[in-house]
Amino acid sequence: MVFGRENISGGSGDSDLGRATQSVLWLLTEFGFSEAGGLLWIDWRGRGTASQVTADAIRALPMGEEILHGARQTADRLYSETLDRLHTHRGVLDRIVDSLIEHQELSSLELRAIVGGE
């Protein structure tokens, strides 16, 4: 939101984007939330976790293209919803940033106080 979508870095699989992608793939394949495939469960055991499986391996699965398309749509929708919430609560975000710059870390109580408007 601050630096623009063009400055998003995928980084490694341990990045926020990597973890978000893994979560979306898990939702669609391991937890059965794929609209394209209905109730779908894919066993990743023996192939690694969802984040370790390549796009080519997913494409080779039954309805693999639909799974990837659904993952992209879900990630885009969640990104948009997150940006909307951050824009709505930009003042809170700025207060959190200012407090982190000043203190370097926040306890859960401190964070709750900022979010609660105290």
Side-chain angles (χ1 to χ4, degrees):
M1 179 179 96
V2 174
F3 300 111
R5 188 175 187 148
E6 63 278 0
N7 290 307
I8 293 175
S9 170
S12 68
D14 288 335
S15 70
D16 290 341
L17 184 56
R19 279 178 272 178
T21 301
Q22 178 177 346
S23 294
V24 168
L25 286 170
W26 280 341
L27 285 171
L28 296 178
T29 60
E30 292 188 19
F31 298 123
F33 289 106
S34 171
E35 288 185 29
L39 292 175
L40 171 71
W41 179 75
I42 295 173
D43 184 2
W44 293 107
R45 285 174 290 189
R47 297 181 221 191
T49 65
S51 66
Q52 294 168 327
V53 176
T54 66
D56 288 339
I58 293 171
R59 281 188 190 93
L61 296 170
M63 297 183 302
E65 286 293 338
E66 291 86 353
I67 291 168
L68 288 174
H69 180 72
R72 280 187 206 98
Q73 284 184 317
T74 300
D76 286 344
R77 179 181 52 78
L78 293 172
Y79 178 76
S80 178
E81 289 174 10
T82 300
L83 280 181
D84 288 345
R85 286 191 177 126
L86 288 172
H87 282 295
T88 299
H89 301 286
R90 179 63 191 258
V92 173
L93 175 63
D94 290 339
R95 287 193 302 274
I96 291 169
V97 168
D98 291 342
S99 188
L100 285 170
I101 289 170
E102 183 178 343
H103 303 288
Q104 295 186 359
E105 61 182 42
L106 297 172
S107 70
S108 61
L109 291 176
E110 292 167 324
L111 184 59
R112 286 184 189 135
I114 294 170
V115 172
E118 297 179 28

